[in-house]
Amino acid sequence: MDGIRLTEHFLKKIRTRQAEISETLMSGGISSLEQYQNFMGQVSALGFMEQELTALLNRTENDDD
């Protein structure tokens, strides 16, 4: 698997997890403050990783031009 495909694979996994967390939050599936805090920490970390991988992917694609 080349670098671009690997990056796209991880972006897909990140976005899937973000959607899962969002669905849980919107459906009222949170049972405690600790679970809510855990999910919010995950959202923050996933957002950071998504930004970094997107920037890497953009730089890689621009270098190929």
Side-chain angles (χ1 to χ4, degrees), residues 7-55:
T7 302
E8 289 170 343
H9 171 79
F10 280 113
L11 281 170
K12 182 178 177 183
K13 292 287 188 181
I14 287 167
R15 290 172 180 151
T16 298
R17 182 63 183 146
Q18 287 172 323
E20 291 170 353
I21 293 170
S22 179
E23 179 62 33
T24 300
L25 291 170
M26 289 188 298
S27 70
I30 301 297
S31 60
S32 66
L33 179 58
E34 289 79 17
Q35 185 181 27
Y36 174 79
Q37 290 172 329
N38 179 282
F39 279 165
M40 296 312 295
Q42 288 184 51
V43 166
S44 178
L46 290 166
F48 174 77
M49 290 187 296
E50 181 182 28
Q51 287 177 335
E52 292 297 313
L53 288 171
T54 299

